[in-house]
Amino acid sequence: MEPLVQYTERFSELLAVSCGTLVSTWDAATVRRALQWARYLFHVYRRFASRGRVREALERRLHVRRGPLGLRSFAALESGDVRLALRLLRNRALAPAAARALPGLLFPGPAADNVDDVPQSRLVLLARRGSALHLLFRLGGDAPKGALLRTHAELLYARLQELGGADSTAARKLLDTLWEHGPREHVLSVMAEALLREADPEPAQAADSAGADETQKLLHWLLESTEVLAAFCRHLPAKRLASVAGCHHALSRAYLDLLTAWATRLHYDLQKGAWVPTQLEDMPWEELCLRLQSLCQAQPFLQEEVLVTLRSCKALDGDFEVPGMSIWTDLLLALPGGA
Amino acid sequence: MSSQIIPSLPKTFSSSLDLWREKNDQLVRQAKQLTRDSRPSLRRQQSVQDTLEGFRELLLTLQGLPAAVPALPLELTVTCNYIILRASLAQGFTEDLTEDVQRGLERVLEAQHQMGSKSQQGLKELWHSVLSAPSLLPELLPALHCLASLHAALWMSTNHLGDLTSLLQTLNGSQTETSEDLLPLLKSWSPPVEKLHAPLILQDAESLKDVLLTAFACRQGFQELITGSLPHAQSSLQEAASGLCPPSVLVQVYTALGTCLRKMGSPQRALLYLTEALKVGTTCALPLLEASRVYRQLGDTAAELESLQLLVEALSATHSSETFTRLIEVELLLPQPDPASPLHCGTQSQAKHLLASRCLQTGRAEAAAEHYLDLLAMLLDGSEPRSSPPTSALGPCMPELCLEAAAALIQAGRASDALTVCVELLSRTSSLLPKMPSLWENASKRTKELPYCPIWASATHLLQGQAWSQLKAQKEALSEFSQCLELLFRALPKDKEQGAGSNCEQKCMSDVSLKQLRVAALISRGLEWVAIGQDTKALSDFLLSVQICPGNRDGSFYLLQTLKRLDRKNEASAFWREAQSQLPQEEAARCLPLYLETCLNWIHPPNCEAFFEEFGTAVLESCDL
């Protein structure tokens, strides 16, 4: 097992190098050996894919020594050769002699030993996907942005599906990685889009079940992380948040709890006649009102939940009716149906 | 034939003259009879009107003939009688007198064939021409002096003192007289004595001179009293008192002398004059009002309040009609006292308010509460005559009376009644007040246009808060204090240029008062926060009160006390050092409405100075360590 792990690590390093400028020193023989190495790992995948114990042991080792650009899972071995080929094909730094030898190595022709070893079909599929993603990234506007979010949401769900239900920590780590390294605002938007997928009609029952499972994973992770939840509820637009909250009761509850917590950080400035933040980073009154109003307008049950919550807070705060004494009273005055 | 006509003309004229004289004498006797009859009745009023009409017709008859010297004494006498009766009936002199005087003088000049050379002369010139004429008949002098005295009365009552001086100089025959002091001129004036066979006159020149002399002394004394020339005022008033002074004027003179002596620092001698004024017996309201001021100066609060109580009772009595002993009295020449004058007595409601407010200021809360409730009932139920204004321009306006009543009730421990008064005030004036939801909407939207709101509305909520605080209802108290503060900070005071009602607010509610009102509301609410254990909010209110009014001792006290209780000693020490650098406010400079002054007394801590000394010592000790 250990040599196999070492081979995998070396190949990960090889993949990393294949994107850089070091390939300018490669010759045809080096390219041939790299591709042979990739095919060897492909054979390993096909041989042990159906054996759970070996797969699990290998994945544990891969995760322990995971690098930033390394292979993420055992399943990645299946497409290692195709990824290497694509990277070499796209890399302009590849030496001319090696570049001329590459097509012959990838497409040997009728004299090949085994037809199954030829990666043409898999290469075409991966190249097409990459082109599509590249095209989507270059587009602008709302509709294409929405399409981009939906695509990223689907990719996120696909990724979560790949990780399966056997190991729930894998999904958590994936999401943690996205949050830690990705553009956070974009990640939040993708997550919101993913959470809204449940509202879309699904043709198959199995798909619904699978979607629900991924949604629960994502929701669970979001609710568990205080930092991410606060950022999610603070930075996403009010209307979008209200839509997401309307689909998931647990999230609406958490969202409302956060809003009420933020409300307590405002204090009334008697001379200005307004509720002002205690610190600069606190949410201002106008945004607080806007978010609560959006919740009230999204769903009737959300409005009821908001009003019940605010009225309960008002009662605990002394049940004052005069403006300027209790922020709950003033929020209720600002909300439709709250007075 | 012609010789027969000429002798008959003088005979007929002489007979008519006798008839007209008889008519005049009859009317004079009739008028004097009516004057002695003190019973007021419609018949008497009609009889006086008939007598006046008789004089008018007689005068028209006489002036319808060409001016003739033999008829002038009678004509001038009828003119004087007509003017006297008309002035007496109207209780004052009017400008019609000028035309009558001018007509009479022109007739005299016409009879002496001097009118052609001096046409369009003024009255001063006319008087000079008539009195300085060498051909003036001696029998005309009594009537002319009587007419002059009536003209002098008009000029005195209308404050034309220059013309009056000139006339008196002419009457005295001193054309080169340099003295312009009216009192010596009046004294040196010697009207000629009426002859026995002269036509009857209602009031002769000598009698009118006495009236003029006393009236002028009174006028001058009152004026000097107001302007602060107290020694001169005393001299003038004593001159008036020593003259022929009717009882109703004598009361005023004695009271004015009492006022003069009080202001000169002789309250005991002032009381002697006031006692004499009360002995006169015609009306005791004015002396009682002045007596209350004297007792206040002496520090005798019980006597002061008793005087005010008697004043209220005196003003509630129906004024009995006075006996008309003479037709032209001194009162006709005296002006009505200015509301700012110490001789102005005011209405019963004003006296009631003075009594109530003094009770409140001197710690008699129960009595004050009762008096205020009586006053509100008097004003709101319309017990007083509708013609009299509820309050004068110098007194508090109606809402402020309600606030004073509420303050008195709270002071007396009757918080529920105070709330009733406040609720009644707010309900009766709801159209003047901005709606709280719209007020809040404006604040939420940061609208620049703020609604106008009377200051007394904010004060009403302040007093309601105090009442709820007394009833231990913290939530209601906090709500009222907060509503008061919202109005004070969100709404602007009523525009001072609008309406006469704003004059009261402009006078009562200065910037200092507005600031003190805010401080009172903030400290009151802060104390309520302390009562329910929310010291952080209390601190915020106390701190804002000190920021609004730097150097405010009460706010500083509560702020330091709360910081000390919360064990935030460093902040307390820092604030103490900062507060020491600020000068304390001058208490004597503030002139606050009574309800606000009362409210500030409630929140004033009794151990304020002792706490400051102790705290200062502690701070110094900590510095030494």
Side-chain angles (χ1 to χ4, degrees), chain B residues 50-246:
Chain B
D50 292 341
T51 306
L52 183 65
E53 184 65 19
F55 276 122
R56 192 182 73 85
E57 291 176 354
L58 185 57
L59 185 59
L60 287 177
T61 302
L62 286 167
Q63 290 181 346
L65 298 173
V69 171
L72 282 180
L74 178 61
E75 182 177 331
L76 290 177
T77 301
V78 172
T79 302
C80 291
N81 288 335
Y82 175 63
I83 292 173
I84 290 169
L85 191 58
R86 185 179 62 190
S88 175
L89 194 60
Q91 285 293 295
F93 289 94
T94 60
E95 289 296 329
D96 295 343
L97 183 148
T98 306
E99 298 178 8
D100 299 326
V101 170
Q102 183 156 355
R103 181 65 175 159
L105 296 180
E106 287 172 353
R107 296 277 290 180
V108 172
L109 293 178
E110 183 180 342
Q112 297 172 354
H113 306 289
Q114 301 180 22
M115 194 62 190
S117 61
K118 299 178 180 179
S119 61
Q120 301 299 328
Q121 293 184 81
L123 274 169
K124 290 170 63 177
E125 290 77 14
L126 278 175
W127 275 113
H128 185 74
S129 300
V130 168
L131 293 175
S132 64
S135 60
L136 183 64
L137 297 178
E139 54 266 31
L140 287 180
L141 286 177
L144 282 174
H145 275 248
C146 186
L147 191 66
S149 65
L150 293 172
H151 202 182
L154 172 66
W155 274 334
M156 181 181 289
S157 61
T158 56
N159 223 28
H160 289 92
L161 301 187
D163 294 333
L164 179 59
T165 303
S166 178
L167 177 59
L168 288 173
Q169 287 171 346
T170 305
L171 289 173
N172 289 336
S174 309
Q175 299 184 13
T176 58
E177 180 66 45
T178 57
S179 172
E180 292 185 353
D181 193 355
L182 275 167
L183 209 55
L185 285 173
L186 282 166
K187 287 184 174 180
S188 63
W189 176 26
S190 300
V193 182
E194 291 276 352
K195 294 182 178 179
L196 292 179
H197 63 274
L200 294 182
I201 195 163
L202 284 171
Q203 203 163 340
D204 59 7
E206 186 67 28
S207 171
L208 289 170
K209 173 203 163 182
D210 293 335
V211 168
L212 287 167
L213 190 60
T214 305
F216 181 74
C218 288
R219 291 176 69 99
Q220 184 158 288
F222 294 161
Q223 183 67 29
E224 287 160 346
L225 178 65
I226 293 174
T227 58
S229 305
L230 299 180
H232 291 89
Q234 187 178 10
S235 176
S236 299
L237 293 169
Q238 285 173 342
E239 180 76 36
S242 64
L244 295 179
C245 203

Side-chain angles (χ1 to χ4, degrees), chain A residues 268-276 285-286 317-325 330 333, chain B residues 436 440 443 446 474-475 478-480 482-483 485-486 489-490 522 525 529 537 544 547-548:
Chain A
Y268 189 71
D269 189 315
L270 183 56
Q271 290 171 305
K272 294 180 181 176
W275 292 90
V276 296
W285 164 267
E286 291 78 13
D317 206 22
D319 205 18
F320 293 109
E321 299 293 340
V322 177
M325 295 196 71
D330 298 347
L333 285 173
Chain B
M436 286 305 293
W440 179 245
R446 302 187 186 278
Q474 278 102 8
K475 177 190 168 184
L478 284 163
S479 298
E480 294 294 342
S482 298
Q483 194 148 346
L485 289 165
E486 280 295 304
F489 284 98
R490 300 279 78 74
L522 284 166
R525 191 171 77 164
W529 288 128
K537 293 185 176 180
L544 186 55
Q547 289 171 353
I548 286 175

Side-chain angles (χ1 to χ4, degrees), chain A residues 10-207:
Chain A
R10 295 292 178 83
F11 184 71
S12 296
E13 295 171 3
L14 186 64
L15 276 176
V17 170
S18 66
C19 300
T21 58
L22 289 178
V23 296
S24 62
T25 63
W26 289 13
D27 55 5
T30 307
V31 170
R32 184 181 302 107
R33 285 199 298 273
L35 288 173
Q36 287 174 352
W37 200 350
R39 288 206 183 104
Y40 167 75
L41 292 176
F42 173 73
H43 289 302
V44 168
Y45 168 80
R46 294 182 67 170
R47 184 174 179 180
F48 295 108
S50 59
R51 301 186 184 184
R53 291 187 178 180
V54 176
R55 176 170 177 170
E56 290 176 6
L58 187 58
E59 283 190 340
R60 279 198 298 271
R61 282 175 166 77
L62 287 173
H63 279 285
V64 167
R65 304 180 185 181
R66 175 173 58 87
L69 295 176
L71 296 174
R72 289 175 286 265
S73 64
F74 181 78
L77 298 179
E78 182 183 9
S79 60
D81 59 337
V82 178
R83 294 179 183 278
L84 178 60
L86 276 176
R87 294 185 182 190
L88 291 175
L89 283 169
R90 290 171 174 169
N91 197 340
R92 297 175 181 271
L94 190 62
R100 282 192 295 271
L102 186 57
L105 295 171
L106 292 175
F107 313 104
D113 298 336
N114 192 346
V115 178
D116 291 339
D117 291 346
V118 177
Q120 281 95 336
S121 60
R122 295 183 291 114
L123 186 61
V124 168
L125 178 61
L126 196 59
R128 188 177 295 117
R129 287 181 179 177
S131 300
L133 284 177
H134 184 71
L135 183 63
L136 287 175
F137 269 118
R138 284 181 169 273
L139 292 175
D142 290 337
K145 184 178 290 185
L148 180 65
L149 286 179
R150 281 194 292 272
T151 304
H152 283 196
E154 290 171 4
L155 289 173
L156 179 61
Y157 267 100
R159 183 70 60 187
L160 291 173
Q161 280 178 347
E162 288 175 5
L163 297 176
D167 188 1
S168 60
T169 57
R172 184 176 304 104
K173 287 183 179 178
L174 171 65
L175 294 168
D176 287 342
T177 302
L178 285 173
W179 175 249
E180 186 176 352
H181 296 100
R184 291 194 167 182
E185 288 190 7
H186 184 64
V187 169
L188 293 173
S189 299
V190 170
M191 290 181 179
E193 181 68 25
L195 287 170
L196 281 171
R197 280 195 61 195
E198 189 177 9
D200 297 335
E202 292 290 343
Q205 185 67 25

Side-chain angles (χ1 to χ4, degrees), chain B residues 553-571:
Chain B
R553 305 285 283 177
D554 297 345
S556 301
F557 168 84
Y558 290 118
L559 184 63
L560 289 172
Q561 188 188 54
T562 309
L563 286 171
K564 188 177 178 183
R565 182 167 62 251
L566 293 174
D567 204 25
R568 292 160 65 168
K569 296 181 177 177
N570 291 334
E571 295 176 58

Side-chain angles (χ1 to χ4, degrees), chain B residues 8 24 88 114 210 296 299 327 429 435 470 494 568 619:
Chain B
S8 66
N24 172 75
S88 175
Q114 301 180 22
D210 293 335
R296 183 172 178 179
L327 289 155
T429 58
K435 304 301 179 186
Q470 191 175 92
K494 207 70 167 171
R568 292 160 65 168
V619 169

Side-chain angles (χ1 to χ4, degrees), chain A residues 191-271:
Chain A
M191 290 181 179
E193 181 68 25
L195 287 170
L196 281 171
R197 280 195 61 195
E198 189 177 9
D200 297 335
E202 292 290 343
Q205 185 67 25
D208 283 342
S209 175
D213 189 46
E214 272 69 58
T215 302
Q216 289 306 312
K217 285 182 185 178
L218 181 56
L219 195 59
H220 186 65
W221 173 80
L222 185 62
L223 294 175
E224 264 196 350
S225 175
T226 305
E227 181 194 1
V228 182
L229 180 62
F232 188 81
C233 296
R234 180 67 186 268
H235 297 298
L236 285 182
K239 280 191 173 182
R240 191 156 188 85
L241 260 168
S243 299
V244 177
C247 301
H248 306 284
H249 185 266
L251 182 60
S252 68
R253 186 73 256 172
Y255 183 32
L256 196 49
D257 288 345
L258 271 177
L259 289 177
T260 53
W262 289 333
T264 58
R265 297 190 59 82
L266 300 181
H267 75 273
Y268 189 71
D269 189 315
L270 183 56
Q271 290 171 305

